[in-house]
């Protein structure tokens, strides 16, 4: 599968994030909105990166779980 297709799929799965692939080939995601103090304390990050699309998806799932536990 092409990296453009991976980008589109991940962006569709995680609309609260901007997804891109760097010139060096790493996969990145940045949140659209600032983190609350509770989210930061829960280990949420504004930007994450991975070696491949599946790794980024796993990190995004983890980030979403952390954010959900931090939200009241």
């Amino acid at each position: 599968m092409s990296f453009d297709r991976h980008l589109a799929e991940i962006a569709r799965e995680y609309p609260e994030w901007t997804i891109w692939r760097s010139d060096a080939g790493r996969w990145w995601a940045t949140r659209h909105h600032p983190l609350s103090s509770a989210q930061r304390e829960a280990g949420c990050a504004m930007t994450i990166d991975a070696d491949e699309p599946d790794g980024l998806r796993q990190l995004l799932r983890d980030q979403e779980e952390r954010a959900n536990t931090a939200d009241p």
Side-chain angles (χ1 to χ4, degrees), residues 9-71:
E9 286 181 359
I10 297 170
R12 193 170 34 256
E13 292 169 23
Y14 296 94
E16 296 297 314
W17 295 78
T18 297
I19 311 298
W20 77 97
R21 185 173 180 245
S22 71
D23 291 341
R26 290 199 59 81
W27 293 80
W28 294 83
T30 299
R31 293 178 189 272
H32 292 178
H33 304 288
L35 295 169
S36 68
S37 59
Q39 289 171 325
R40 284 191 301 275
E41 289 173 15
C44 294
M46 278 298 296
T47 302
I48 56 176
D49 68 303
D51 291 327
E52 78 276 327
D54 289 337
L56 186 63
R57 276 190 174 99
Q58 180 59 45
L59 291 172
L60 286 162
R61 280 191 294 272
D62 176 65
Q63 287 291 306
E64 293 294 305
E65 288 174 14
R66 289 173 185 266
N68 289 338
T69 62
D71 289 337

